[in-house]
Amino acid sequence: MERLSNSTLAATGHKAALQRDGLQPGIVHLGLGAFARAHTAVFTEDAMLAAGDPQWGIVGVTQRSDAVARQLAPQDGLFAVAERGEGAAPARVVSSIVEAISGRDKPELVVERIGAAATKIVTLTITEKGYRFNPQTRTLDLDDTETSEDLGGRPPRTAVGQIARGLQRRARTGAGPITVVSCDNLPGNGELTGTLVRNFAVALPTGESDELLAWIDRNATFPSTMVDRMVPATTDADLAAVERELGLRDEAAVVAEPFKQWVIEDNFAAARPRWEDAGALFSTDVAAWESAKLRLLNASHSMLAYLGLAAGKATIADAVGVDAFRTACHRMMLEEALPSITLPVELDGERYCGEVLRRFANPALGHTTAKVGSDGSQKIGLRLLATVRGTFDAGREPKWAALAVAAWMRHVATTPETDLNDPLTKELEAVLPERRTADTVVPALLGFRPVVDPYLAGHEEFRNLLLHWYRSIDNGPLSLGNEINHG
Ligand code: CS2
């Protein structure tokens, strides 16, 4: 089967939605994973189409693995998004990516692209761990070897290093202001990114540091955003299905749920695409949107992933199909998460929770519990411990959020080291005891400072809840189910 590209697509009688030779590279995107292709690239294509504005072609940069850059290169940057589930549209070829670079192999080129005058925006989907920060202090982890090597002056390989060096290039060449837009599931993701880039600048030699910091203050902004679309890892079966639909082979195809959402703080240092024409919402209340999404959707997602993994459920749809798990999740959202956040005015909280559960139940998506359960050390604090804390602060017991945390602890303790997909696997293993029972694992992981803060680590009621739930999960899904249903 022929490979998708500008010419083969034209030969099928279809063509790219955008006039490709007229596209200018206005955006550099760091982190070209499936999410970016199914979300940011789609919103940007739609915005360019709606406004007839060709200046927002995307230069995509892969981070650690070069796979997507290799897949997209022979395809002229084209790839398909295939929606799965109720209301799914036919597969669509997205044409907003104009260049795909392997950041690992061509770090100088990344700095050059961020430094180019045509570039007005850097967007990021690098996942939580890509920020290399200390979650307690929300500052750059200067002990991280990759970061310190970037600071040492090598062509940068970390996202923060790439941005800082790119901005430094702009400062020196007069390339003009730029907006850095984080699209990861982190509260205050814009402010955080700005802080980390400034931390990097501060750690440079004095002359360089002052120049860059002063330039950033005048020329760069870091708006926060909330992004939402469930995008599982593409499987061979997905690629085969897209091939049947397109009549062309697309190695970079992605599948996604039909739903997508993007809420953006309107704080741009230079021009931007009219993403609002593509359905994005510009809001002054992104923080509220982000905490609703993290503490309701993402928290429940993690909860279902770990409960599902304990019960041998391969997908989120299977996990939410277990009545007791759905109940626990729903009650965590309604009784604990909702009361501890302030919702954006536009959002009906209870309805949102119902919608989230409905989206999880999408049987066609194949979103695996293993994928959602990955990188738990980076997610648990933001998604669940924040609710645990908020619920205690309100004088109530965070029973359901504690169940989710216990399920994560048990997952960490019972998954073989080689299978635990987490950037802190080694550190977690180092604190875990040889004999792993509730009584040994719970205290060990409560003392794991990169995830649990000293207040919660020393909270006796929390510890007892965790011990209780850990043992209940040990007793098997049936007995756990009974316990949940009687809770
Ligand atoms: C998921 C998210 O993998 C995960 O941790 O919770 O990727 C989730 O699918 C997205 O945030 C949905 O917008």
Side-chain angles (χ1 to χ4, degrees):
M1 181 67 72
E2 272 197 297
R3 193 77 179 264
L4 170 66
S5 70
N6 285 336
S7 57
T8 57
L9 184 65
T12 63
H14 300 285
K15 59 180 174 74
L18 293 161
Q19 180 65 40
R20 304 216 80 215
D21 45 14
L23 292 182
Q24 293 143 37
I27 299 178
V28 172
H29 183 86
L30 306 181
L32 209 42
F35 181 80
R37 281 171 283 155
H39 187 274
T40 329
V42 172
F43 272 100
T44 302
E45 171 167 88
D46 285 345
M48 282 194 279
L49 286 170
D53 178 359
Q55 55 173 321
W56 304 110
I58 299 170
V59 175
V61 178
T62 58
Q63 298 288 300
R64 277 152 311 155
S65 152
D66 65 346
V68 179
R70 275 192 287 109
Q71 289 158 359
L72 285 173
Q75 298 185 182
D76 301 316
L78 296 176
F79 63 93
V81 175
E83 293 183 356
R84 296 276 183 264
E86 213 183 301
R92 132 182 201 184
V93 173
V94 178
S95 51
S96 50
I97 295 183
V98 294
E99 185 183 15
I101 302 174
S102 161
R104 194 188 65 194
D105 301 323
K106 296 191 179 154
E108 275 117 350
L109 189 57
V110 178
V111 175
E112 196 179 313
R113 291 289 185 267
I114 297 177
T119 303
K120 303 281 185 281
I121 294 173
V122 175
T123 45
L124 295 90
T125 52
I126 55 175
T127 78
E128 297 87 344
K129 63 176 175 262
Y131 289 79
R132 299 173 184 276
F133 74 114
N134 175 336
Q136 318 294 356
T137 57
R138 284 174 70 88
T139 55
L140 191 62
D141 178 6
L142 295 172
D143 295 331
D144 175 70
T145 19
E146 296 290 322
T147 301
S148 62
E149 288 189 27
D150 280 3
L151 278 164
R154 71 165 183 189
R157 290 202 166 74
T158 66
V160 168
Q162 288 163 343
I163 296 168
R165 295 294 184 188
L167 300 195
Q168 199 169 34
R169 178 74 58 91
R170 297 183 82 83
R172 292 178 179 166
T173 59
I178 191 162
T179 309
V180 180
V181 186
S182 166
C183 305
D184 284 293
N185 295 319
L186 293 158
N189 53 12
E191 173 227 281
L192 175 70
T193 308
T195 301
L196 303 182
V197 172
R198 286 186 172 92
N199 292 158
F200 188 97
V202 169
L204 290 169
T206 323
E208 280 186 62
S209 166
D210 295 345
E211 178 204 19
L212 181 55
L213 286 168
W215 189 88
I216 290 175
D217 284 345
R218 283 194 307 273
N219 297 282
T221 57
F222 299 85
S224 285
T225 73
M226 182 278 262
V227 294
D228 192 5
R229 187 170 213 185
M230 288 192 272
V231 185
T234 315
T235 63
D236 290 341
D238 293 327
L239 293 183
V242 169
E243 180 172 329
R244 283 193 299 276
E245 210 174 324
L246 291 184
L248 291 169
R249 180 71 183 173
D250 175 2
E251 295 289 346
V254 288
V255 294
E257 64 173 334
F259 180 92
K260 64 179 190 317
Q261 191 176 30
W262 197 5
V263 184
I264 310 169
E265 184 188 351
D266 200 354
N267 174 24
F268 283 69
R272 63 164 177 81
R274 286 188 52 85
W275 282 312
E276 59 271 54
D277 292 348
L281 175 72
F282 280 87
S283 166
T284 50
D285 207 13
V286 175
W289 282 100
E290 184 63 26
S291 57
K293 198 242 167 176
L294 266 174
R295 311 263 292 267
L296 299 169
L297 186 150
N298 292 114
S300 311
H301 225 189
S302 291
M303 182 176 195
L304 288 169
Y306 299 120
L307 289 175
L309 285 163
K313 302 293 175 195
T315 68
I316 293 292
D318 292 341
V320 81
V322 177
D323 284 344
F325 294 171
R326 193 178 50 251
T327 301
C329 215
H330 207 180
R331 293 188 67 177
M332 186 272 288
M333 289 194 274
L334 295 179
E335 296 168 24
E336 298 168 1
L338 266 182
S340 54
I341 56 176
T342 307
L343 291 175
V345 279
E346 297 94 327
L347 204 66
D348 173 336
E350 287 185 19
R351 205 159 133 205
Y352 184 82
C353 298
E355 272 297 291
V356 161
L357 292 174
R358 195 188 56 76
R359 287 168 59 198
F360 288 164
N362 182 343
L365 200 57
H367 209 174
T368 64
T369 44
K371 170 124 194 289
V372 178
S374 68
D375 294 355
S377 68
Q378 313 292 301
K379 299 173 178 171
I380 290 301
L382 306 171
R383 299 179 177 195
L384 291 156
L385 294 179
T387 291
V388 169
R389 178 127 200 194
T391 310
F392 275 134
D393 286 349
R396 285 176 294 105
E397 192 183 56
K399 179 173 178 178
W400 305 111
L403 166 60
V405 178
W408 167 71
M409 289 184 162
R410 194 174 170 283
H411 171 72
V412 170
T414 56
T415 307
E417 189 175 338
T418 42
D419 296 343
L420 190 67
N421 194 349
D422 193 296
L424 298 185
T425 298
K426 289 224 147 34
E427 291 80 352
L428 285 162
E429 282 295 330
V431 301
L432 281 168
E434 192 94 341
R435 243 190 85 252
R436 300 186 180 177
T437 63
D439 297 293
T440 60
V441 171
V442 169
L445 291 181
L446 271 176
F448 190 67
R449 212 42 91 239
V451 175
V452 188
D453 65 45
Y455 171 79
L456 283 183
H459 203 294
E460 210 177 308
E461 217 179 320
F462 185 38
R463 173 181 307 231
N464 290 336
L465 280 171
L466 291 170
L467 287 168
H468 166 82
W469 282 124
Y470 196 113
R471 293 185 192 118
S472 305
I473 303 170
D474 270 344
N475 290 338
L478 256 183
S479 131
L480 174 66
N482 279 332
E483 185 137 356
I484 292 172
N485 291 331
H486 291 111

